[in-house]
Each structure stands twice: as structure tokens, then as C-alpha cells.
């Protein structure tokens, strides 16, 4: 006999949930396993091999695309996190002021516009600018990535600031801390997990982006995602799986990083 | 005294805007201004090799829904454009509904685990979400191609003799979109379920509601804000998708995102592409309005 | 008397046990409890927190299933019947009103689940609204009404389908003092008006005594005593009941001799004290004499010769209608509490430090095994 009436039980929900988790992980697991496949078939196992990792590592295009991806993600994550931190500090610590809604709408604007729309809009603008100035460096990509990363960096920082106890800063003020010291020794350490989460979110968002990059880049500015998208018209080799495996590892590591920091610094 | 206050608040306000403006400026330059350019372009006429001619015209907007007859200038509903719009709408709606059907039970399952295990299940939802979208789409592509593992297994076990054509179909696009955006449904629905008061379920059971009625009368209505938030979060990127139809839909199954890209590329019709982009924006805005109206206003009053 | 469908019995618990956990970590919430609750009765489960009273209620409501034993409703074992099939409804501690429904929708919910015709539901809801005097609030959301009104909605909702038994889980504890007093009266009259068996859970002994037809006092998962409020108060079955229900003084002693009319107890540090009791006390047996504070009479020693007990006043507190004195009996016998009504006639002033004589009549005290 059951011990209690299972008031939360809904028939079939457990089965659907487990199926969902299998659905979420099976394709990734298959891709991961076949990254180590000696053969070229996506379905037939030809023995264990690291050849696709080697071939990816020896592919000059893959290497330069990876470097550009990481460079771009690092620069735009640092820039957007810095800007977002400043804005969040100015917008969450003070009572609502005139223009708050406007500033907030502006910052979250990139979240509301479909990527493809921003992408073609940027295509039009950057094409024009290239014509006018003759400059065709990384600047366009950095600006575009920073712009769409700002809301992603902003949200976790703001969330953290909202759960933080403002009385801690007041207490620091009572204890003769100057505003700067109160900020440095009280606000900053408490805010750090939010900033880290914002940075990682921005970094991953930039690393992930394919649509906007595809439209803003010029020749020779391939990131890893745009390189892979370009490969789609040719025959796909498990080399893509090898790259996927590395990407997967990076994202799991980053998620774990956020998870651990959140667990350690939970504000009650 | 009052003037001192005023001076202080004025300087505080200046500091505030000094801190806010860099972020806002970057977003204006990198997202808002280009969109305004697009708005302008949608009222111009196409240049011969891309670009625009600076003559005012509503032609691009007209062509979003209508075809202009070459000979007598009459307007008829545009079959091609309507079909693409409709397909995009249907595919993204189907994606949203499928995500809800699969995501709600999953979110409920997680919300009814004990608190320690919940975090682990949630982590399992977020990991795929943090994985590159392109890679996840490739993974699906590999799985469902004719020589992929599903067809191979089905043939080996004798269920079918010829591979089923799954790749490059509408089904494939839908599957890919569900796969990619499912976590965006699960997370907000979970958030609204997790807050639910268990005693409400007991009260409903006490008042003769069978488990299914508890679900229909209590659990789902109270999770409405989460359901709406999740649906919007899935619908918006799904209708504007660009990568998924390329990888899973092949060349024939275009969605509006690809059609927009086409106008700026081979189509060389920037004004029409701009008008299409803004039409897409309008659909998204309508969805967002629905969210603002229904997504968060109800259901919070008790929590 | 013990046949399966005794007329007049609404709920019969038969050796009901409920344990949680397994292996070494088994916690027994309810220990082999047997209990009859009658039709049309206001029955209260009274006990401190963790005594198992809420578990017992949840077992009757169907939210928990017993580890062993049977629960009979009208002679039928419902121990493992789910709550949605039991004609028993609950008023939850936090009311558990559905926040997305109006007051009227809340009240009609049970009937709607029972698939009653629409007009019948509407009529019944109106009737219930009238019963709890909320006619003008029927279209409000439950978040827009006060705590007392929410309480009434919860009541109306639980009563709407005319259950055989109504369970109330600490239902008044969230209300402030005045409202609680009002609701106690209202509950009592509602019970009388509807004729439905009420099973009420509370930790507040005063509430239990005021409202109930019968009370069961629980401690650590066991029933200590079942009886009318009067019985439980005047003749507590054991030390726990005496202590938990109302305030009590205990005097420890040994039996000297006893007969049909009473016993003589040798109270430590005091001497022989006569008590009227039918219970036999063996010579030398350790016992407690139980006397309620209001049954003790005190007088200043200066004005009266020493009575049964003497002591000195340690504390005096004025409580409005009465004054409470804490008295340390001489030779360290015990510290007792005495309560005196503040009537003008009896007002011989007694202050801290005064030596007093303490008396009680043989009839007002009781003997319990130590």
C-alpha cells in the first residue's frame, strides 16, 4: 500500500520527462561518439580513432577560425560586461528615475529583435561604412557582438544586485567606509558572481553566434560557426563532430563554473 | 538647503547617466540605428546591383503581401510570399506547441523532485542549451539523414527496407527547432510550477478533483504566466530562424529568415528585404504584446 | 457495541498506526490508535505540536495512508481510498483557496468536480455565501478579501458538497485574538446548523474546551484521554492531560490509607492530606495530588491559623478578572499557583513576601499515579 496519496502525481509525466532528457542528450552523445570514429560514416562504427581531431587540428582554416572566435568572444564579453556592470549599478541601486524605462528598453532591445533582422540591418550599415571609410577590420564584428552581448551580461548582474541586501552597504557606510571603499570591499565581492555569470553568458553568446557574424564579416573573417556553416554545402566529414566535441566540453565546463559559483555564494 | 539638495541630486543624476550611456550607446550604434536604416530603406526603391535608389516608394511594403501585375498594375495576393510567411508561422507555432507538450510534463517532473535533485535535473536541461546551436543542429542532421543512425537502425531491424526521407523536410525543421529551443520552454514553466503551493493540490483533491482535473483546474491555470513566457521565448527565435532551415530544410523549405537573406543577397532587392524584416519584427512585437498583457500580470498576486 | 456499522458512529479508527521512514530511522507519528467519532459531533484533537494530531487528521482526510489499521466511514474501510473519493472535506490551515478563482468559484469547485448540474451549483453557492455572510463578495478574488473572510470562504467551500465529516486543521491559528473568538462561536453554530461531524485540530487547549463536544488529548502519537471538555478538565486521566489541559498544581506524596470515600496521602514536607476519591491508593504508593489553581484558597497567615499548607508569596500578577499568586510552600514541598477572583469581598490584600495559608477541599483535588 502506498504511504501517502500521491497528490503531485500525474500519469505519464515521468515517462515524457525521461524521454525528453534522452531526446536532449542522444543526438549530442551520438555526435560525441562518432567524433572518435575511424570511418567516415555517421552510422557505422569503424573503430576508435583520433584522426578527426588531428585533421581538425591540422586544418589551417579551423585554427584561424577558432582563434578569431575566441578573440572575438573574449573582447566583446569583456567590453559588454564592463558596460553592463556600470549600467546595472546606476540603474538598480537608485530609486526609479526619469528615463529608467527608456534606458532599460534600450539595453534589452537586442533581445527583442530577431537575429536575422539585426543581421541584415548591420549588413546594410557596415557595407555602407566600408565603402565610405575603407576600413574593413575586426571593429565591425566587435561592435556588433558587444551590442548583442550587453543584455546577456546585464541580466544576471541586475538579478544579483536585486537580491543583494542594500543594508550591507549602509552598514559599511556606518562603519566609516567611504563610498568607494564600500563599493570595493562590500558591493564588488558580493556582486562578483553576477558579473562572472554575465561574462560567461556574454562569452558563450558571442561564441555561439552565427547569423550576425555571417552577415557582418568580410572575406577571411570566418569564426568557427560561420566556417562550419560554410562547410554545409560540401560533404560533411566527422571533422565537424570533432569540433563539436571540443565545443561541448567548453560549454559543459562553463555551465559547471556558473553552477559552482552560484552554489558557493548563494544569498539567503 | 534646498538648493544644496538640488545640486547634489543633479550631480548624482549626471554620474548616473555617465554610467548608463556607454552601454546604451553601444546598443544604439550596434542594433537600434541599423534598424532605423532598414526602416528608411523599406520606403525606397532597389538599386540595380543591390543597395537603394533614393526615391520614396511603398512598393516594397505592398509586395510583402501582394503581387503587382506586370501589365495592368492590379494587385493580387502573392502566392509565394504568403506561402513563405504562412509556412514560417505554422512551423514556429507547431514548434511552440510541441515544445509545450513535451516541456510542460518535463518541467512538472523536475518541479516535483526533491529540492536537491531538482538542481541536477535543471542543470541537465541547461547543458544542451549552452552548447553551440549550430552543433546541436548538426547533431540532429547526422541523426536523421538517410544514411544516419536512425534509418540504419530501422533498416537493420527490418522495419523498413528503404530509408525514410526525414532530412530536408518540414518535419526536420520542426524537429530541429524543438530540439534547439526546448530548454527555453522548460525553464520558465518550471519557475512557475516550482512556486506552486502543494496545499492547493491537496485542496483540489479533497474537493473531488481527480488527478487530471487537478492538472486542468489548478496546476495549468496557475502556471499560465510561465507557459506564456516559455511560448514567447520559443516562438520568437523560431519564427526568425535562419540556420535551421538551411541545415535541415535544404534549399526548398524556405522560411522567412532565409527569404530576407535572399533579398539582400542574390535577390538584390534591399527595400523588399527591409520590408520583410520589419514585417517579421511586427509579428514578434505582437507576440511580445501578448506576453506583456497576459504573461506576468495574473497569478503573481498570490505569491 | 463494537460491530462494524454501529449507528451513531461517523468515523471509527481501528488500531491505526502511521510510521515514516524505514530501517533505523522509523518515526512513529501515530501509535495504534483506536477511536470512535460520533455523528453530529464537534470533536477536537488536542495536543502539542508533533503529537500526531495533524497526521491523524490527514489520515482521515486521505492525504496519508495508514501503515496499519482500518479507518471506517459508515462501516466501510476507507483507509486507502484517495481523498477525491471520500465524502470528507478539509479546511486547511492556510485555507488553500484557489488564487485564480473568485470566491464563488472556490465555493462551487467541489460541486463542479462532482458534475452537479449548473443551476444546482449556483443555488448551493448562494446558499453557502449566505450561510457565511459573504453574499456581497462572491465575485472577488480570494486575494482581495481579509483573513477572516478567507477563513469563511474556506469553510463554505468545504461545506458546499455536504460532506459526512468536516476536518479543520488549526484553522483559527492564523487569525488575531478577537477574530478568533468570533470564529469559534461561528464554527460552533455552523456545526449545529449543518449537523455535520466536525473534527477540529488545535494545540490551543482553551479553544478545544470552548468549542468541543468531546476532546481527544494526544501526546507522542498516542491518545491520552477522550472525553467531554468537562471530564478532561476535572478528571484528567494522567499527568500529561492534567498538565496540558489548563494550569495545574502537583503535590507529590505517598499513600497512607484509603477506603471507598477517599484516601489520605502523606505529602512530602506537609503531612497527611485527605482527598475524596474512589480510587484505591496502596499504602506507600507514590502519587501526585492534582489541584487546579482556582480551587486553592489562600489567606494571610496573620488573619487565620495555619491550614493544610503554608507558604510564602513569591510573585503576584494581576490578570483583570482574577489575580494569580505564585507561592512557595514551606519546607520546599512545591511551588504552586493560586488564582483568586477579584471580588470586593475577598479582597484581603496579599503581597509578595507575605506568609499565607493554602487550603483546598477534599472534593476539589484528585489523585494520579506518579
Amino acid at each position: 500500500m502506498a504511504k501517502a496519496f500521491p497528490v503531485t502525481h500525474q500519469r505519464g509525466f515521468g515517462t515524457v520527462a525521461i524521454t525528453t532528457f534522452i531526446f536532449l542528450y542522444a543526438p549530442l552523445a551520438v555526435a560525441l561518439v562518432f567524433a572518435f570514429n575511424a570511418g567516415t560514416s555517421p552510422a557505422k562504427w569503424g573503430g576508435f580513432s583520433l584522426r578527426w581531431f588531428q585533421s581538425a587540428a591540422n586544418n589551417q582554416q579551423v585554427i584561424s577560425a577558432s582563434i578569431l572566435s575566441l578573440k572575438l568572444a573574449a573582447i566583446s564579453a569583456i567590453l559588454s560586461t564592463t558596460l553592463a556592470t556600470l549600467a546595472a549599478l546606476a540603474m538598480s541601486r537608485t530609486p526609479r528615475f526619469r528615463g529608467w524605462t527608456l534606458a532599460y528598453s534600450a539595453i534589452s532591445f537586442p533581445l527583442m529583435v530577431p537575429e536575422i533582422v539585426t543581421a541584415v540591418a548591420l549588413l546594410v550599415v557596415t557595407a555602407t561604412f566600408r565603402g565610405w571609410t575603407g576600413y574593413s577590420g575586426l571593429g565591425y564584428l566587435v561592435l556588433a557582438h558587444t551590442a548583442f552581448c550587453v543584455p546577456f551580461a546585464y541580466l544576471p548582474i541586475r538579478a544579483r544586485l536585486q537580491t543583494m541586501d542594500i543594508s550591507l552597504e549602509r552598514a559599511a557606510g556606518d562603519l566609516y567606509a567611504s563610498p568607494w571603499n564600500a563599493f570595493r570591499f562590500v558591493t564588488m565581492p558580493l556582486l562578483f558572481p553576477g558579473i562572472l555569470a554575465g561574462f560567461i553568458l556574454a562569452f558563450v553568446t558571442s561564441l555561439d553566434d552565427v547569423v550576425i557574424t555571417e552577415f557582418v564579416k568580410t572575406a577571411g573573417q570566418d569564426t568557427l560557426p560561420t566556417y562550419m556553416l560554410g562547410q554545409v554545402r560540401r560533404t560533411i566529414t566527422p571533422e565537424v563532430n570533432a569540433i563539436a566535441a571540443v565545443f561541448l566540453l567548453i560549454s559543459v565546463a562553463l555551465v559547471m563554473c556558473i553552477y559552482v559559483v552560484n552554489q558557493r555564494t548563494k544569498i539567503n | 538647503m534646498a538648493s544644496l539638495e538640488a545640486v547634489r541630486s543633479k550631480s548624482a543624476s549626471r554620474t548616473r547617466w555617465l554610467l548608463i550611456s556607454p552601454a546604451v550607446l553601444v546598443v544604439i550604434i550596434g542594433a537600434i540605428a541599423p534598424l532605423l536604416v532598414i526602416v528608411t530603406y523599406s520606403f525606397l526603391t532597389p538599386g540595380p546591383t543591390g543597395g537603394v535608389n533614393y526615391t520614396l516608394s511603398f512598393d516594397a511594403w505592398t509586395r510583402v503581401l501582394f503581387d503587382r501585375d506586370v501589365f495592368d498594375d492590379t494587385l493580387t495576393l502573392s502566392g509565394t510570399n504568403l506561402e513563405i510567411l504562412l509556412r514560417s508561422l505554422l512551423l514556429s507555432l507547431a514548434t511552440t506547441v510541441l515544445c509545450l507538450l513535451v516541456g510542460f510534463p518535463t518541467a512538472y517532473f523536475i518541479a516535483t523532485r526533491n529540492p536537491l535533485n531538482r538542481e541536477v535535473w535543471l542543470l541537465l536541461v541547461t547543458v544542451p542549451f549552452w552548447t553551440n546551436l549550430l552543433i546541436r543542429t548538426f547533431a540532429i542532421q547526422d541523426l536523421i539523414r538517410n544514411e544516419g543512425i536512425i534509418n540504419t537502425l530501422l533498416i537493420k531491424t527490418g522495419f523498413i527496407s528503404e530509408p525514410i526521407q526525414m532530412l530536408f523536410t518540414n518535419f526536420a525543421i520542426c524537429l530541429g527547432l524543438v530540439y534547439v529551443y526546448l530548454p527555453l520552454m522548460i525553464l520558465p514553466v518550471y519557475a512557475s510550477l516550482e512556486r506552486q503551493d502543494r496545499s492547493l493540490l491537496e485542496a483540489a483533491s479533497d474537493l473531488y478533483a481527480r488527478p487530471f482535473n487537478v492538472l486542468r483546474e489548478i496546476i495549468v491555470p496557475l502556471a499560465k504566466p510561465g507557459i506564456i513566457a516559455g511560448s514567447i521565448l520559443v516562438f520568437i527565435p523560431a519564427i526568425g530562424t535562419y540556420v535551421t532551415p538551411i541545415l535541415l530544410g535544404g534549399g526548398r523549405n524556405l522560411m522567412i529568415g532565409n527569404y530576407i537573406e535572399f533579398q539582400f543577397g542574390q535577390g538584390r532587392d534591399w527595400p523588399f528585404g527591409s520590408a520583410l524584416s520589419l514585417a517579421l519584427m511586427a509579428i514578434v512585437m505582437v507576440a511580445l504584446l501578448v506576453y506583456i498583457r497576459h504573461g506576468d500580470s495574473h497569478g503573481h498576486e498570490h505569491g | 457495541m463494537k460491530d462494524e456499522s454501529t449507528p451513531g458512529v461517523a468515523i471509527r479508527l481501528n488500531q491505526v498506526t502511521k510510521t515514516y521512514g524505514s530501517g533505523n530511522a522509523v518515526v512513529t507519528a501515530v501509535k495504534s490508535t483506536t477511536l470512535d467519532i460520533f455523528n453530529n459531533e464537534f470533536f477536537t484533537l488536542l495536543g502539542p505540536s508533533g503529537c500526531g494530531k495533524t497526521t491523524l487528521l490527514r489520515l482521515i482526510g486521505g492525504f496519508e495512508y495508514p501503515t496499519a489499521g482500518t479507518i471506517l466511514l459508515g462501516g466501510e474501510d476507507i483507509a486507502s481510498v484517495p481523498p477525491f473519493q471520500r465524502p470528507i472535506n478539509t479546511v486547511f490551515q492556510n485555507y488553500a483557496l484557489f488564487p485564480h478563482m473568485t470566491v464563488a468559484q472556490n465555493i462551487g469547485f467541489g460541486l463542479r468536480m462532482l458534475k452537479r448540474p449548473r443551476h444546482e451549483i449556483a443555488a448551493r453557492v448562494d446558499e453557502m455565501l449566505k450561510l457565511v455572510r459573504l453574499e456581497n463578495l462572491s465575485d472577488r478574488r480570494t486575494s482581495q478579501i481579509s483573513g477572516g473572510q478567507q477563513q469563511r470562504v474556506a469553510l463554505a467551500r468545504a461545506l458546499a458538497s455536504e460532506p459526512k465529516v468536516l476536518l479543520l486543521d488549526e484553522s483559527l491559528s492564523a487569525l488575531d485574538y478577537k477574530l478568533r473568538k468570533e470564529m469559534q462561536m461561528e464554527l460552533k453554530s455552523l456545526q449545529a446548523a449543518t449537523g455535520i461531524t466536525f473534527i477540529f485540530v488545535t494545540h490551543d487547549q482553551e479553544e478545544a474546551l470552548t468549542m468541543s463536544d468531546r476532546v481527544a488529548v494526544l501526546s507522542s502519537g498516542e491518545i491520552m484521554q477522550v472525553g467531554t471538555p468537562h471530564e478532561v478538565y476535572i478528571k484528567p486521566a494522567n499527568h500529561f492531560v492534567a498538565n496540558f489541559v489548563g494550569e495545574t498544581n502537583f503535590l507529590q506524596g505517598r499513600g497512607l490509607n484509603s477506603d471507598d470515600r477517599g484516601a489520605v496521602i502523606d505529602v512530602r514536607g506537609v503531612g497527611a492530606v485527605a482527598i475524596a476519591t474512589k480510587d484505591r491508593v496502596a499504602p506507600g504508593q507514590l502519587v501526585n495530588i492534582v489541584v487546579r489553581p482556582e480551587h486553592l484558597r489562600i489567606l494571610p497567615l496573620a488573619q487565620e491559623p495555619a491550614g493544610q499548607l503554608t507558604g510564602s508569596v513569591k510573585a503576584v500578577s494581576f490578570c483583570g478578572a482574577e489575580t494569580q499568586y505564585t507561592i512557595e510552600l514551606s519546607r520546599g514541598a512545591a511551588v504552586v499557583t493560586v488564582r483568586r477572583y477579584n471580588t470586593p469581598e475577598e479582597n484581603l490584600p496579599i503581597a509578595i513576601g507575605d506568609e499565607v495559608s493554602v487550603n483546598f477541599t477534599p472534593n476539589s483535588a484528585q489523585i494520579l499515579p506518579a
Side-chain angles (χ1 to χ4, degrees):
Chain A
M1 182 156 72
K3 293 202 135 201
F5 171 66
V7 69
T8 59
H9 180 77
Q10 290 293 336
R11 186 178 301 184
F13 275 28
T15 321
V16 174
I18 299 298
T19 316
T20 301
F21 282 105
I22 294 172
F23 169 63
L24 280 178
Y25 280 90
L28 287 176
V30 170
L32 198 63
V33 168
F34 279 89
F36 297 95
N37 189 6
T40 50
S41 159
K44 240 176 265 148
W45 184 247
F48 179 85
S49 153
L50 291 175
R51 66 181 271 214
W52 301 113
F53 287 90
Q54 278 164 347
S55 97
N58 288 327
N59 184 333
Q60 202 50 54
Q61 278 176 298
V62 170
I63 293 171
S64 60
S66 306
I67 291 172
L68 184 62
S69 271
L70 291 173
K71 210 196 303 184
L72 197 54
I75 296 172
S76 39
I78 289 171
L79 285 177
S80 58
T81 312
T82 312
L83 300 185
T85 308
L86 295 179
L89 280 169
M91 288 175 70
S92 323
R93 308 262 77 182
T94 48
R96 290 279 168 108
F97 49 90
R98 207 187 310 161
W100 188 94
T101 317
L102 205 65
Y104 185 73
S105 315
I107 286 174
S108 34
F109 186 78
L111 292 179
M112 294 183 285
V113 184
E115 245 192 318
I116 184 72
V117 176
T118 311
V120 293
L122 280 167
L123 169 78
V124 167
V125 172
T126 50
T128 313
F129 260 80
R130 278 197 195 98
W132 287 354
T133 61
Y135 170 74
S136 59
L138 266 186
Y140 301 108
L141 278 176
V142 169
L143 181 67
H145 277 233
T146 307
F148 71 69
C149 284
V150 161
F152 287 98
Y154 178 80
L155 290 176
I157 298 170
R158 180 177 128 93
R160 183 79 185 179
L161 274 168
Q162 277 179 334
T163 52
M164 264 167 61
D165 192 353
I166 198 160
S167 62
L168 290 176
E169 278 162 68
R170 297 237 172 86
D174 279 348
L175 297 167
Y176 313 111
S178 67
W180 166 246
N181 278 342
F183 176 73
R184 204 172 116 206
F185 294 113
V186 182
T187 316
M188 246 347 235
L190 282 171
L191 187 56
F192 180 72
I195 295 178
L196 184 69
F199 176 82
I200 294 178
L201 201 56
F203 188 84
V204 172
T205 307
S206 163
L207 206 60
D208 225 26
D209 180 72
V210 50
V211 180
I212 290 174
T213 315
E214 176 79 10
F215 284 72
V216 174
K217 69 168 179 143
T218 53
Q221 288 185 336
D222 261 321
T223 61
L224 211 44
T226 61
Y227 166 77
M228 290 201 299
L229 188 66
Q231 293 299 302
V232 82
R233 275 121 197 166
R234 292 168 214 158
T235 28
I236 295 220
T237 64
E239 200 179 289
V240 172
N241 283 340
I243 300 170
V246 176
F247 258 93
L248 195 63
L249 213 70
I250 294 174
S251 28
V252 170
L254 288 175
V255 177
M256 286 300 175
C257 191
I258 290 189
Y259 181 75
V260 169
V261 170
N262 274 344
Q263 291 293 314
R264 279 220 189 142
T265 56
K266 247 184 194 165
I267 305 174
N268 293 324
Chain B
M1 187 68 197
S3 71
L4 193 68
E5 281 287 293
V7 167
R8 190 177 291 154
S9 89
K10 211 171 204 173
S11 98
S13 161
R14 196 180 305 139
T15 319
R16 189 156 61 210
W17 284 107
L18 217 59
L19 292 174
I20 297 173
S21 49
V24 172
L25 209 63
V26 163
V27 175
I28 289 177
I29 298 173
I32 300 175
L35 199 75
L36 293 178
V37 172
I38 288 278
V39 174
T40 319
Y41 277 25
S42 71
F43 294 107
L44 301 176
T45 53
T49 56
V52 287
N53 288 333
Y54 289 87
T55 37
L56 181 70
S57 158
F58 296 97
D59 194 50
W61 280 102
T62 317
R63 278 188 294 137
V64 171
L65 293 177
F66 300 102
D67 278 336
R68 193 181 290 279
D69 194 285
V70 190
F71 300 108
D72 59 8
D73 264 12
T74 50
L75 295 175
T76 46
L77 279 176
S78 164
T80 331
N81 297 0
L82 271 185
E83 191 197 323
I84 291 170
L85 272 176
L86 212 62
R87 184 189 301 123
S88 302
L89 215 54
L90 285 179
L91 277 173
S92 43
L93 283 176
T95 301
T96 309
V97 170
L98 279 172
C99 278
L100 184 59
L101 287 179
V102 172
F104 188 91
T106 308
Y108 187 81
F109 173 84
I110 300 172
T112 51
R113 298 306 97 189
N114 78 47
L116 275 175
N117 293 343
R118 263 182 234 166
E119 304 232 351
V120 178
W121 287 111
L122 275 181
L123 195 67
L124 283 177
V125 174
T126 41
V127 167
F129 185 65
W130 286 70
T131 312
N132 193 297
L133 177 138
L134 204 56
I135 283 171
R136 284 184 289 161
T137 314
F138 271 123
I140 289 282
Q141 193 189 41
D142 252 8
L143 221 55
I144 63 171
R145 62 173 69 239
N146 286 0
E147 60 276 19
I149 210 160
I150 292 179
N151 271 319
T152 310
L153 280 177
L154 285 176
I155 290 174
K156 261 191 191 156
T157 49
F159 278 106
I160 52 172
S161 52
E162 287 289 304
I164 304 168
Q165 178 66 45
M166 288 183 281
L167 196 56
F168 308 137
T169 61
N170 286 333
F171 162 78
I173 297 178
C174 206
L175 181 76
L177 289 175
V178 170
Y179 183 63
V180 168
Y181 295 124
L182 183 56
L184 288 177
M185 178 65 84
I186 296 178
L187 296 176
V189 172
Y190 165 81
S192 68
L193 287 172
E194 192 229 3
R195 283 201 305 253
Q196 277 185 16
D197 185 353
R198 190 191 162 96
S199 69
L200 294 180
L201 309 190
E202 288 189 346
S205 309
D206 188 59
L207 295 163
Y208 316 106
R210 293 169 174 279
F212 179 73
N213 281 337
V214 177
L215 180 70
R216 203 184 59 187
E217 300 283 341
I218 311 294
I219 299 171
V220 170
L222 288 178
K224 204 176 109 194
I227 291 173
I228 291 176
S231 302
I232 299 294
L233 284 179
V234 170
F235 177 78
I236 290 179
I239 193 162
T241 183
Y242 168 74
V243 171
T244 312
I246 294 180
L247 264 58
L248 301 174
R252 284 162 297 162
N253 294 290
L254 275 176
M255 284 177 70
I256 186 168
N258 313 91
Y259 199 45
I260 291 171
E261 187 263 351
F262 177 81
Q263 303 309 329
F264 284 92
Q266 290 156 282
R268 293 181 197 282
D269 194 342
W270 290 19
F272 183 47
S274 301
L276 279 176
S277 302
L278 294 170
L280 175 60
M281 269 293 285
I283 296 175
V284 167
M285 287 300 148
V286 168
L288 280 173
L289 275 180
V290 170
Y291 170 63
I292 292 167
R293 288 282 294 280
H294 300 283
D296 248 0
S297 52
H298 300 294
H300 269 304
E301 47 208 7
H302 67 287
Chain C
M1 173 83 190
K2 286 269 170 189
D3 78 69
E4 287 294 343
S5 56
T6 316
V9 174
I11 290 264
R12 166 167 294 172
L13 304 180
N14 202 355
Q15 309 226 301
V16 170
T17 297
K18 177 69 185 175
T19 59
Y20 293 104
S22 59
N24 289 330
V26 172
V27 180
T28 306
V30 174
K31 248 179 250 170
S32 186
T33 296
T34 297
L35 176 67
D36 279 353
I37 296 165
F38 303 121
N39 283 329
N40 208 350
E41 172 171 55
F42 197 119
F43 192 89
T44 297
L45 298 168
L46 171 68
S49 63
C51 71
K53 57 189 191 297
T54 293
T55 307
L56 210 51
L57 199 76
R58 290 175 61 82
L59 285 165
I60 299 171
F63 304 112
E64 309 276 347
Y65 296 144
T67 315
T70 54
I71 299 171
L72 303 180
L73 176 74
E76 214 176 307
D77 186 7
I78 56 160
S80 55
V81 171
F84 56 85
Q85 287 170 346
R86 297 186 187 203
I88 298 175
N89 289 342
T90 308
V91 177
F92 290 83
Q93 187 171 7
N94 62 354
Y95 315 141
L97 298 179
F98 306 129
H100 57 302
M101 297 182 192
T102 63
V103 166
Q105 286 168 334
N106 262 282
I107 296 174
F109 184 84
L111 295 166
R112 196 153 63 77
M113 291 299 108
L114 288 170
K115 299 206 168 63
R116 297 281 172 78
R118 198 168 287 205
H119 64 269
E120 189 194 317
I121 297 177
R124 183 73 184 146
V125 168
D126 282 346
E127 198 183 322
M128 295 316 295
L129 282 167
K130 219 167 281 164
L131 186 69
V132 295
R133 303 196 315 270
L134 290 175
E135 297 98 318
N136 49 348
L137 297 181
S138 67
D139 292 329
R140 294 274 188 92
R141 293 253 165 183
T142 56
S143 54
Q144 298 165 331
I145 57 177
S146 72
Q149 290 165 338
Q150 289 181 4
Q151 162 86 62
R152 292 209 193 97
V153 175
L155 260 167
R157 186 178 72 173
L159 287 169
S161 60
E162 297 183 300
K164 295 227 169 74
V165 178
L166 184 78
L167 309 177
L168 301 107
D169 185 8
E170 302 261 9
S171 298
L172 304 182
S173 59
L175 303 177
D176 61 51
Y177 181 79
K178 251 206 136 151
L179 200 53
R180 195 159 71 225
K181 288 282 163 205
E182 259 175 60
M183 282 308 294
Q184 285 177 5
M185 290 303 115
E186 204 162 320
L187 270 183
K188 188 86 185 117
S189 61
L190 259 180
Q191 195 268 326
T194 56
I196 291 172
T197 305
F198 278 33
I199 304 180
F200 185 81
V201 156
T202 184
H203 61 268
D204 183 339
Q205 45 98 13
E206 197 188 318
E207 201 164 271
L209 298 182
T210 321
M211 301 167 71
S212 320
D213 294 323
R214 286 195 308 147
V215 179
V217 185
L218 281 90
S219 169
S220 346
E222 280 181 283
I223 291 184
M224 298 282 109
Q225 185 175 6
V226 182
T228 63
H230 191 259
E231 282 166 358
V232 170
Y233 188 78
I234 297 302
K235 275 197 74 63
N238 55 35
H239 190 280
F240 177 84
V241 176
N243 203 21
F244 189 76
V245 181
E247 226 175 316
T248 308
N249 297 304
F250 293 101
L251 296 170
Q252 227 178 37
R254 277 178 197 283
L256 284 177
N257 56 67
S258 71
D259 58 30
D260 288 344
R261 284 164 299 136
V264 181
I265 309 295
D266 176 29
V267 176
R268 194 157 49 93
V270 172
V273 174
I275 308 289
T277 175
K278 290 204 172 77
D279 300 331
R280 289 301 179 110
V281 180
Q285 186 192 345
L286 257 179
V287 293
N288 274 320
I289 298 174
V290 180
V291 205
R292 298 286 180 190
E294 66 274 20
H295 293 153
L296 287 172
R297 295 164 42 79
I298 51 172
L299 285 165
L301 254 187
Q303 258 137 64
E304 179 152 315
Q308 286 160 300
L309 313 165
T310 58
S312 62
V313 178
K314 288 288 157 204
V316 179
S317 52
F318 177 74
C319 318
E322 60 204 26
T323 303
Q324 186 172 298
Y325 303 88
T326 307
I327 291 155
E328 187 176 317
L329 297 184
S330 43
R331 286 173 299 243
V335 175
V336 296
T337 307
V338 179
R339 226 177 271 148
R340 232 169 46 150
Y341 278 103
N342 294 327
T343 51
E345 302 90 70
E346 219 177 326
N347 257 354
L348 289 169
I350 293 173
I352 293 179
D354 285 358
E355 295 293 314
V356 291
S357 84
V358 184
N359 292 296
F360 58 91
T361 59
N363 289 319
S364 62
Q366 214 208 326
I367 292 177
L368 288 175

